[in-house]
Amino acid sequence: MARYVMNEHGHFFVVELCIDEAKLSGCELYATYDDLMDAVCRRHSLSREEVEACEYVVKDTKDGPAIFEDRGFSEPVTGSVEAAISQYIM
């Protein structure tokens, strides 16, 4: 089951692997993708069209967990997935 998360820096994620939600620091969890998109729009004063499909996707790969950006490029997660999400900045 996917999890929908926005960290304290305003970056938003669809997490497609198991995480320990208690280990997320400064993050908000949302029940649905629509709830996440609504929160992102409010936070950044943008329209749904401007933010939809711009989320980061966190998923397992053959080399371990990775964070994928909207253009398909990825970076491996070093350390815990929860820390990577919580601390992610551009």
Side-chain angles (χ1 to χ4, degrees):
M1 177 173 138
R3 301 298 300 153
Y4 308 98
V5 182
M6 183 167 27
N7 72 13
E8 66 184 338
H9 307 291
H11 298 294
F12 46 105
F13 304 84
V14 174
V15 183
E16 297 180 351
L17 47 80
C18 292
I19 57 171
D20 183 347
E21 295 172 7
K23 292 183 179 178
L24 293 171
S25 176
C27 294
E28 294 288 331
L29 295 165
Y30 300 91
T32 67
Y33 181 78
D34 286 334
D35 292 344
L36 174 63
M37 291 296 103
D38 291 344
V40 170
C41 290
R42 285 190 305 274
R43 167 93 185 241
H44 297 290
S45 299
L46 296 170
S47 71
R48 176 84 179 237
E49 292 78 23
E50 292 173 293
V51 300
E52 195 165 49
C54 293
E55 67 275 358
Y56 294 97
V57 178
V58 184
K59 58 186 174 181
D60 276 322
T61 70
K62 64 180 175 64
D63 298 318
I67 299 175
F68 289 80
E69 54 144 71
D70 61 333
R71 294 176 295 166
F73 296 105
S74 68
E75 61 182 89
V77 172
T78 56
S80 80
V81 172
E82 295 85 357
I85 292 169
S86 298
Q87 299 166 3
Y88 194 86
I89 55 174
M90 290 182 75

